Amino acid sequence: MEKKLINESNLSIDPVSYLETEMVKVKVLRLDKIHPVISGNKWYKLKFYIEAAIAQNKKGILTFGGAYSNHIVATAAACNALGIESIGIIRGEAPKHYSPSLLEALQHNMKLIFLSREDFKNKQLPPIPDIENYFTVAEGGYGILGANGAATIPYPADDFDMICCATGTGTMMAGLLNGSTKPLPVLGFSVLKNNFSIENEIRTLLKNPDTAFTIQHDFHFGGYAKYKPELIHFMNELYEQSGIPTDFVYTAKLFYGVKKLVEQHYFKAGSKLLLIHSGGLQGNRSLGKGTLIY
Ligand SMILES: *Cc1c(COP(=O)(O)O)cnc(C)c1O
């Protein structure tokens, strides 16, 4: 299935000296390179859901997300490429002008159904013909199969002391913790404001509930998909210095947080960090033209 779709041989581990000091070494796992649309962690989180849908002879996948969701776009593109249908339940009333993400989902033949925020929260769906023939995936791919997929993200654990990643639902982080051949500590940077239930949501997905992990709650820049000029400035500077593009919703907050923590001597001297570039660059299309230099 994946042979047809993604190109894992494009994966690389790149230096990112912009974040380093004498004391702390930083490299980045470029999951953003496996596919232009089904980028980064989204493919890994989706793969076992899609496999299950196909094995159960479902018509397709039904899933949930916001108008700028990377998960919605990735689901649409992956299902379309693999010959199954997809239905996206979108938070909020149908907009006059669709976001670039929704337009792209439509291009990949996703059927979009808009729900009021209230109905979305309560999972109050309108009648959908044949709904039992669709495999339902939670928002953001949260769940055991998502974590199992993320556990297959390949990286050389022996070369590093710690993994740092952006955290939305925490599914990728749970997978990284479950999949590790050598138990590396994982430091997650929550991109939501005060989302303190995330620790429990991650723990629910862990094979060994005693596995240690830490979430940073100080680098959300105001909340999900919120940002400040400082973050944009940082993204441009990071790109200039290292050639690594980041997205303002997830990976920029991770890289920014790591830089600050390195400067604050948060990491032990001699630490070797592996940052996960989890993709999501398509989300930058909602920024005004000229905001980013890439
Ligand atoms: C969805 C996403 C995440 C968050 O993954 P979770 O498994 O929900 O924590 C991180 N980075 C990018 C680029 C994403 O698109």
Side-chain angles (χ1 to χ4, degrees), residues 47-274:
K47 63 191 236 187
F48 291 137
Y49 290 118
I50 293 179
E51 203 176 274
I54 291 172
Q56 292 172 28
N57 279 318
K58 300 285 188 190
K59 275 189 164 168
I61 299 264
L62 178 149
T63 193
F64 302 83
Y68 296 95
S69 164
N70 296 330
H71 168 71
I72 286 290
V73 177
T75 303
C79 288
N80 198 39
L82 294 167
I84 62 172
E85 295 178 22
S86 65
I87 300 178
I89 311 291
I90 309 300
R91 183 193 302 107
E93 311 290 350
K96 241 208 205 110
H97 300 287
Y98 281 16
S99 67
S101 309
L102 293 182
L103 289 173
E104 181 138 24
L106 283 177
Q107 267 175 21
H108 292 288
N109 297 315
M110 180 175 258
K111 183 171 178 213
L112 300 178
I113 297 174
F114 293 90
L115 284 190
S116 69
R117 285 173 183 270
E118 187 66 21
D119 285 349
F120 188 93
K121 210 167 122 200
N122 302 324
K123 301 259 171 336
Q124 199 60 250
L125 298 183
I128 296 171
D130 214 15
I131 189 168
E132 62 286 351
N133 275 320
Y134 290 84
F135 191 99
T136 298
V137 176
E139 185 173 6
Y142 178 81
I144 292 288
L145 287 182
N148 288 351
T152 68
I153 292 174
Y155 65 88
D158 287 340
D159 298 350
F160 297 95
D161 306 307
M162 188 185 279
I163 294 182
C164 301
C165 68
T167 304
T169 65
T171 310
M172 168 173 64
M173 193 164 160
L176 291 167
L177 288 158
N178 286 341
S180 164
T181 44
K182 157 183 154 190
L184 280 188
V186 179
L187 178 61
F189 289 74
S190 177
V191 301
L192 287 89
K193 187 176 177 178
N194 300 341
N195 185 27
F196 301 119
S197 59
I198 185 80
E199 271 94 349
N200 264 331
E201 280 147 22
I202 292 173
R203 209 162 284 294
T204 309
L205 299 178
L206 291 180
K207 275 198 229 143
N208 173 1
D210 298 327
T211 309
F213 64 89
T214 309
I215 303 282
Q216 276 288 334
H217 289 284
D218 297 335
F219 298 101
H220 54 71
F221 280 85
Y224 183 74
K226 300 268 186 352
Y227 63 95
K228 300 197 164 83
E230 193 184 351
L231 187 69
I232 302 296
H233 175 77
F234 171 80
M235 292 166 76
N236 283 329
E237 200 164 270
L238 171 69
Y239 184 75
E240 240 167 30
Q241 304 274 328
S242 67
I244 296 175
T246 49
D247 78 294
F248 74 99
V249 181
Y250 293 100
T251 52
K253 294 178 181 179
L254 159 71
F255 280 67
Y256 181 96
V258 168
K259 187 162 188 357
K260 290 290 158 201
L261 292 181
V262 167
E263 286 166 7
Q264 293 163 17
H265 306 291
Y266 172 92
F267 302 104
K268 270 207 305 253
S271 293
K272 286 177 277 179
L273 312 180
L274 180 64

